[in-house]
mmCIF file of all heavy atoms in Angstrom:
data_model
loop_
_atom_site.group_PDB
_atom_site.id
_atom_site.type_symbol
_atom_site.label_atom_id
_atom_site.label_comp_id
_atom_site.label_asym_id
_atom_site.label_seq_id
_atom_site.Cartn_x
_atom_site.Cartn_y
_atom_site.Cartn_z
ATOM 1 N N LEU Y 1 92.600 110.141 105.498
ATOM 2 C CA LEU Y 1 93.004 111.598 105.731
ATOM 3 C C LEU Y 1 91.804 112.507 105.890
ATOM 4 O O LEU Y 1 90.891 112.357 105.061
ATOM 5 C CB LEU Y 1 93.928 112.082 104.602
ATOM 6 C CG LEU Y 1 95.278 111.521 104.513
ATOM 7 C CD1 LEU Y 1 96.077 112.112 103.324
ATOM 8 C CD2 LEU Y 1 96.086 111.736 105.751
ATOM 9 N N PRO Y 2 91.771 113.342 106.826
ATOM 10 C CA PRO Y 2 90.619 114.270 106.965
ATOM 11 C C PRO Y 2 90.607 115.286 105.831
ATOM 12 O O PRO Y 2 91.659 115.818 105.377
ATOM 13 C CB PRO Y 2 90.885 114.916 108.379
ATOM 14 C CG PRO Y 2 92.343 114.771 108.569
ATOM 15 C CD PRO Y 2 92.759 113.550 107.892
ATOM 16 N N VAL Y 3 89.424 115.646 105.473
ATOM 17 C CA VAL Y 3 89.265 116.731 104.444
ATOM 18 C C VAL Y 3 89.382 118.022 105.177
ATOM 19 O O VAL Y 3 88.871 118.179 106.315
ATOM 20 C CB VAL Y 3 87.814 116.561 103.807
ATOM 21 C CG1 VAL Y 3 87.602 117.752 102.876
ATOM 22 C CG2 VAL Y 3 87.826 115.325 103.083
ATOM 23 N N PRO Y 4 90.135 119.011 104.581
ATOM 24 C CA PRO Y 4 90.266 120.294 105.300
ATOM 25 C C PRO Y 4 88.901 120.884 105.617
ATOM 26 O O PRO Y 4 87.959 120.734 104.808
ATOM 27 C CB PRO Y 4 91.013 121.093 104.270
ATOM 28 C CG PRO Y 4 91.765 120.159 103.362
ATOM 29 C CD PRO Y 4 90.885 118.917 103.331
ATOM 30 N N LYS Y 5 88.889 121.667 106.693
ATOM 31 C CA LYS Y 5 87.625 122.373 107.099
ATOM 32 C C LYS Y 5 87.183 123.214 105.964
ATOM 33 O O LYS Y 5 87.984 123.944 105.326
ATOM 34 C CB LYS Y 5 87.936 123.219 108.345
ATOM 35 C CG LYS Y 5 87.535 122.606 109.613
ATOM 36 C CD LYS Y 5 87.600 123.513 110.768
ATOM 37 C CE LYS Y 5 87.135 122.878 111.977
ATOM 38 N NZ LYS Y 5 87.189 123.702 113.125
ATOM 39 N N GLY Y 6 85.844 123.159 105.678
ATOM 40 C CA GLY Y 6 85.262 124.018 104.696
ATOM 41 C C GLY Y 6 85.358 123.460 103.282
ATOM 42 O O GLY Y 6 84.771 124.004 102.336
ATOM 43 N N ALA Y 7 86.152 122.313 103.057
ATOM 44 C CA ALA Y 7 86.340 121.796 101.778
ATOM 45 C C ALA Y 7 85.370 120.577 101.630
ATOM 46 O O ALA Y 7 85.016 120.001 102.557
ATOM 47 C CB ALA Y 7 87.746 121.325 101.552
ATOM 48 N N LYS Y 8 85.011 120.250 100.430
ATOM 49 C CA LYS Y 8 84.173 119.157 100.109
ATOM 50 C C LYS Y 8 84.994 117.877 99.874
ATOM 51 O O LYS Y 8 84.470 116.775 100.023
ATOM 52 C CB LYS Y 8 83.253 119.389 98.945
ATOM 53 C CG LYS Y 8 82.251 120.498 99.197
ATOM 54 C CD LYS Y 8 81.416 120.704 97.931
ATOM 55 C CE LYS Y 8 80.413 121.851 98.216
ATOM 56 N NZ LYS Y 8 79.592 122.110 97.083
ATOM 57 N N GLU Y 9 86.158 118.032 99.487
ATOM 58 C CA GLU Y 9 87.160 116.914 99.128
ATOM 59 C C GLU Y 9 88.538 117.337 99.353
ATOM 60 O O GLU Y 9 88.821 118.462 99.686
ATOM 61 C CB GLU Y 9 86.851 116.360 97.708
ATOM 62 C CG GLU Y 9 87.108 117.510 96.702
ATOM 63 C CD GLU Y 9 86.636 117.104 95.264
ATOM 64 O OE1 GLU Y 9 85.637 116.312 95.193
ATOM 65 O OE2 GLU Y 9 87.237 117.527 94.350
ATOM 66 N N HIS Y 10 89.476 116.372 99.287
ATOM 67 C CA HIS Y 10 90.943 116.699 99.398
ATOM 68 C C HIS Y 10 91.373 117.556 98.316
ATOM 69 O O HIS Y 10 90.878 117.441 97.183
ATOM 70 C CB HIS Y 10 91.755 115.318 99.395
ATOM 71 C CG HIS Y 10 91.383 114.477 100.606
ATOM 72 N ND1 HIS Y 10 90.565 113.445 100.578
ATOM 73 C CD2 HIS Y 10 91.871 114.551 101.843
ATOM 74 C CE1 HIS Y 10 90.468 112.839 101.772
ATOM 75 N NE2 HIS Y 10 91.256 113.518 102.575
ATOM 76 N N ARG Y 11 92.400 118.332 98.599
ATOM 77 C CA ARG Y 11 93.068 119.128 97.540
ATOM 78 C C ARG Y 11 93.765 118.257 96.581
ATOM 79 O O ARG Y 11 94.171 117.130 97.040
ATOM 80 C CB ARG Y 11 94.053 120.103 98.217
ATOM 81 C CG ARG Y 11 93.348 121.172 99.077
ATOM 82 C CD ARG Y 11 94.286 122.223 99.677
ATOM 83 N NE ARG Y 11 95.624 122.225 99.259
ATOM 84 C CZ ARG Y 11 96.657 121.734 99.877
ATOM 85 N NH1 ARG Y 11 96.465 121.204 101.111
ATOM 86 N NH2 ARG Y 11 97.927 121.805 99.365
ATOM 87 N N LEU Y 12 94.164 118.677 95.462
ATOM 88 C CA LEU Y 12 94.734 117.955 94.387
ATOM 89 C C LEU Y 12 95.946 117.305 94.828
ATOM 90 O O LEU Y 12 96.248 116.055 94.551
ATOM 91 C CB LEU Y 12 95.001 118.861 93.150
ATOM 92 C CG LEU Y 12 95.634 118.172 91.970
ATOM 93 C CD1 LEU Y 12 94.770 117.022 91.377
ATOM 94 C CD2 LEU Y 12 95.886 119.257 90.853
ATOM 95 N N TYR Y 13 96.912 117.961 95.592
ATOM 96 C CA TYR Y 13 98.177 117.439 95.936
ATOM 97 C C TYR Y 13 98.297 116.928 97.399
ATOM 98 O O TYR Y 13 99.306 116.710 97.843
ATOM 99 C CB TYR Y 13 99.277 118.373 95.686
ATOM 100 C CG TYR Y 13 99.529 118.591 94.194
ATOM 101 C CD1 TYR Y 13 98.983 119.638 93.466
ATOM 102 C CD2 TYR Y 13 100.173 117.550 93.432
ATOM 103 C CE1 TYR Y 13 99.168 119.746 92.122
ATOM 104 C CE2 TYR Y 13 100.349 117.654 92.064
ATOM 105 C CZ TYR Y 13 99.913 118.779 91.397
ATOM 106 O OH TYR Y 13 100.050 118.851 90.086
ATOM 107 N N THR Y 14 97.176 116.642 98.067
ATOM 108 C CA THR Y 14 97.204 116.215 99.431
ATOM 109 C C THR Y 14 97.998 114.975 99.606
ATOM 110 O O THR Y 14 98.816 114.893 100.608
ATOM 111 C CB THR Y 14 95.736 116.020 99.927
ATOM 112 O OG1 THR Y 14 94.988 117.229 99.816
ATOM 113 C CG2 THR Y 14 95.660 115.458 101.358
ATOM 114 N N PHE Y 15 97.804 113.989 98.796
ATOM 115 C CA PHE Y 15 98.453 112.660 98.957
ATOM 116 C C PHE Y 15 99.945 112.779 98.659
ATOM 117 O O PHE Y 15 100.758 112.213 99.392
ATOM 118 C CB PHE Y 15 97.864 111.574 98.099
ATOM 119 C CG PHE Y 15 96.365 111.447 98.237
ATOM 120 C CD1 PHE Y 15 95.624 110.855 97.204
ATOM 121 C CD2 PHE Y 15 95.703 111.782 99.409
ATOM 122 C CE1 PHE Y 15 94.190 110.737 97.302
ATOM 123 C CE2 PHE Y 15 94.340 111.624 99.523
ATOM 124 C CZ PHE Y 15 93.599 111.093 98.454
ATOM 125 N N THR Y 16 100.302 113.573 97.705
ATOM 126 C CA THR Y 16 101.742 113.850 97.416
ATOM 127 C C THR Y 16 102.366 114.622 98.598
ATOM 128 O O THR Y 16 103.508 114.188 99.025
ATOM 129 C CB THR Y 16 101.878 114.630 96.134
ATOM 130 O OG1 THR Y 16 101.246 114.024 95.061
ATOM 131 C CG2 THR Y 16 103.373 114.876 95.789
ATOM 132 N N GLU Y 17 101.781 115.709 99.096
ATOM 133 C CA GLU Y 17 102.301 116.410 100.206
ATOM 134 C C GLU Y 17 102.518 115.543 101.424
ATOM 135 O O GLU Y 17 103.526 115.676 102.137
ATOM 136 C CB GLU Y 17 101.447 117.697 100.460
ATOM 137 C CG GLU Y 17 101.500 118.671 99.346
ATOM 138 C CD GLU Y 17 100.379 119.687 99.449
ATOM 139 O OE1 GLU Y 17 99.571 119.616 100.292
ATOM 140 O OE2 GLU Y 17 100.449 120.673 98.626
ATOM 141 N N TYR Y 18 101.508 114.794 101.730
ATOM 142 C CA TYR Y 18 101.591 113.856 102.892
ATOM 143 C C TYR Y 18 102.689 112.799 102.728
ATOM 144 O O TYR Y 18 103.504 112.621 103.645
ATOM 145 C CB TYR Y 18 100.200 113.191 103.146
ATOM 146 C CG TYR Y 18 100.241 112.406 104.473
ATOM 147 C CD1 TYR Y 18 99.783 113.081 105.522
ATOM 148 C CD2 TYR Y 18 100.629 111.082 104.546
ATOM 149 C CE1 TYR Y 18 99.772 112.414 106.830
ATOM 150 C CE2 TYR Y 18 100.682 110.416 105.802
ATOM 151 C CZ TYR Y 18 100.237 111.121 106.883
ATOM 152 O OH TYR Y 18 100.239 110.458 108.078
ATOM 153 N N SER Y 19 102.825 112.283 101.571
ATOM 154 C CA SER Y 19 103.932 111.358 101.238
ATOM 155 C C SER Y 19 105.290 112.013 101.429
ATOM 156 O O SER Y 19 106.167 111.390 101.917
ATOM 157 C CB SER Y 19 103.728 110.745 99.777
ATOM 158 O OG SER Y 19 102.562 110.086 99.711
ATOM 159 N N ASN Y 20 105.390 113.220 100.872
ATOM 160 C CA ASN Y 20 106.606 113.938 101.007
ATOM 161 C C ASN Y 20 107.073 114.086 102.432
ATOM 162 O O ASN Y 20 108.212 113.996 102.854
ATOM 163 C CB ASN Y 20 106.626 115.389 100.324
ATOM 164 C CG ASN Y 20 106.650 115.253 98.874
ATOM 165 O OD1 ASN Y 20 107.221 114.269 98.261
ATOM 166 N ND2 ASN Y 20 106.186 116.241 98.105
ATOM 167 N N ARG Y 21 106.137 114.519 103.205
ATOM 168 C CA ARG Y 21 106.303 114.706 104.757
ATOM 169 C C ARG Y 21 106.798 113.439 105.391
ATOM 170 O O ARG Y 21 107.728 113.435 106.140
ATOM 171 C CB ARG Y 21 105.080 115.271 105.399
ATOM 172 C CG ARG Y 21 105.274 115.623 106.864
ATOM 173 C CD ARG Y 21 104.188 116.469 107.451
ATOM 174 N NE ARG Y 21 102.826 115.921 107.262
ATOM 175 C CZ ARG Y 21 102.289 115.099 108.189
ATOM 176 N NH1 ARG Y 21 102.958 114.746 109.352
ATOM 177 N NH2 ARG Y 21 101.058 114.647 108.096
ATOM 178 N N VAL Y 22 106.147 112.361 105.094
ATOM 179 C CA VAL Y 22 106.448 111.051 105.692
ATOM 180 C C VAL Y 22 107.856 110.566 105.235
ATOM 181 O O VAL Y 22 108.676 110.127 106.071
ATOM 182 C CB VAL Y 22 105.394 109.992 105.438
ATOM 183 C CG1 VAL Y 22 105.851 108.550 105.742
ATOM 184 C CG2 VAL Y 22 104.120 110.341 106.090
ATOM 185 N N LEU Y 23 108.058 110.677 103.899
ATOM 186 C CA LEU Y 23 109.334 110.063 103.377
ATOM 187 C C LEU Y 23 110.542 111.086 103.439
ATOM 188 O O LEU Y 23 111.682 110.663 103.335
ATOM 189 C CB LEU Y 23 109.073 109.764 101.945
ATOM 190 C CG LEU Y 23 108.063 108.669 101.634
ATOM 191 C CD1 LEU Y 23 107.763 108.608 100.158
ATOM 192 C CD2 LEU Y 23 108.415 107.337 102.281
ATOM 193 N N GLY Y 24 110.228 112.409 103.788
ATOM 194 C CA GLY Y 24 111.311 113.349 103.923
ATOM 195 C C GLY Y 24 112.008 113.595 102.595
ATOM 196 O O GLY Y 24 113.259 113.824 102.609
ATOM 197 N N ARG Y 25 111.337 113.565 101.549
ATOM 198 C CA ARG Y 25 111.937 113.880 100.279
ATOM 199 C C ARG Y 25 110.899 114.579 99.393
ATOM 200 O O ARG Y 25 109.752 114.499 99.667
ATOM 201 C CB ARG Y 25 112.524 112.694 99.588
ATOM 202 C CG ARG Y 25 111.556 111.649 99.082
ATOM 203 C CD ARG Y 25 112.222 110.495 98.443
ATOM 204 N NE ARG Y 25 111.331 109.547 97.885
ATOM 205 C CZ ARG Y 25 110.980 109.534 96.620
ATOM 206 N NH1 ARG Y 25 111.499 110.440 95.707
ATOM 207 N NH2 ARG Y 25 110.202 108.633 96.040
ATOM 208 N N LYS Y 26 111.388 115.122 98.242
ATOM 209 C CA LYS Y 26 110.494 115.910 97.333
ATOM 210 C C LYS Y 26 110.065 114.933 96.282
ATOM 211 O O LYS Y 26 110.869 114.504 95.436
ATOM 212 C CB LYS Y 26 111.194 117.110 96.777
ATOM 213 C CG LYS Y 26 110.367 118.004 96.000
ATOM 214 C CD LYS Y 26 109.329 118.641 96.889
ATOM 215 C CE LYS Y 26 108.559 119.734 96.039
ATOM 216 N NZ LYS Y 26 107.358 120.070 96.688
ATOM 217 N N LEU Y 27 108.779 114.515 96.323
ATOM 218 C CA LEU Y 27 108.156 113.651 95.340
ATOM 219 C C LEU Y 27 107.343 114.459 94.396
ATOM 220 O O LEU Y 27 106.605 115.414 94.899
ATOM 221 C CB LEU Y 27 107.325 112.640 96.084
ATOM 222 C CG LEU Y 27 106.727 111.427 95.334
ATOM 223 C CD1 LEU Y 27 107.799 110.504 94.848
ATOM 224 C CD2 LEU Y 27 105.772 110.680 96.255
ATOM 225 N N LEU Y 28 107.490 114.295 93.120
ATOM 226 C CA LEU Y 28 106.652 115.080 92.161
ATOM 227 C C LEU Y 28 105.180 114.752 92.218
ATOM 228 O O LEU Y 28 104.349 115.601 92.246
ATOM 229 C CB LEU Y 28 107.215 114.811 90.724
ATOM 230 C CG LEU Y 28 106.511 115.585 89.591
ATOM 231 C CD1 LEU Y 28 106.760 117.053 89.858
ATOM 232 C CD2 LEU Y 28 107.168 115.183 88.240
ATOM 233 N N HIS Y 29 104.861 113.446 92.336
ATOM 234 C CA HIS Y 29 103.515 112.997 92.499
ATOM 235 C C HIS Y 29 103.394 111.666 93.147
ATOM 236 O O HIS Y 29 104.364 110.841 93.000
ATOM 237 C CB HIS Y 29 102.881 112.874 91.053
ATOM 238 C CG HIS Y 29 101.397 112.764 91.065
ATOM 239 N ND1 HIS Y 29 100.704 111.557 91.253
ATOM 240 C CD2 HIS Y 29 100.457 113.724 90.893
ATOM 241 C CE1 HIS Y 29 99.402 111.806 91.218
ATOM 242 N NE2 HIS Y 29 99.183 113.090 90.965
ATOM 243 N N TRP Y 30 102.404 111.399 93.968
ATOM 244 C CA TRP Y 30 102.284 110.172 94.741
ATOM 245 C C TRP Y 30 102.333 108.902 93.854
ATOM 246 O O TRP Y 30 102.692 107.810 94.210
ATOM 247 C CB TRP Y 30 101.080 110.209 95.655
ATOM 248 C CG TRP Y 30 99.773 110.206 94.966
ATOM 249 C CD1 TRP Y 30 99.016 111.352 94.619
ATOM 250 C CD2 TRP Y 30 98.993 109.073 94.500
ATOM 251 N NE1 TRP Y 30 97.842 110.887 93.997
ATOM 252 C CE2 TRP Y 30 97.845 109.567 93.966
ATOM 253 C CE3 TRP Y 30 99.264 107.686 94.504
ATOM 254 C CZ2 TRP Y 30 96.924 108.671 93.318
ATOM 255 C CZ3 TRP Y 30 98.307 106.841 93.962
ATOM 256 C CH2 TRP Y 30 97.156 107.414 93.396
ATOM 257 N N ARG Y 31 101.861 109.013 92.612
ATOM 258 C CA ARG Y 31 101.876 107.871 91.732
ATOM 259 C C ARG Y 31 103.314 107.318 91.382
ATOM 260 O O ARG Y 31 103.426 106.318 90.876
ATOM 261 C CB ARG Y 31 101.141 108.241 90.434
ATOM 262 C CG ARG Y 31 99.668 108.307 90.637
ATOM 263 C CD ARG Y 31 98.893 108.468 89.327
ATOM 264 N NE ARG Y 31 97.490 108.672 89.487
ATOM 265 C CZ ARG Y 31 96.622 107.651 89.486
ATOM 266 N NH1 ARG Y 31 96.897 106.478 89.325
ATOM 267 N NH2 ARG Y 31 95.310 107.933 89.624
#
């Protein structure tokens, strides 16, 4: 996943938000 412009690393919930978008459901955390 690309790091957002101007950021040094991914945001805390990037993986969870991406997973939610792909799965079409509300996941509390990617773990």
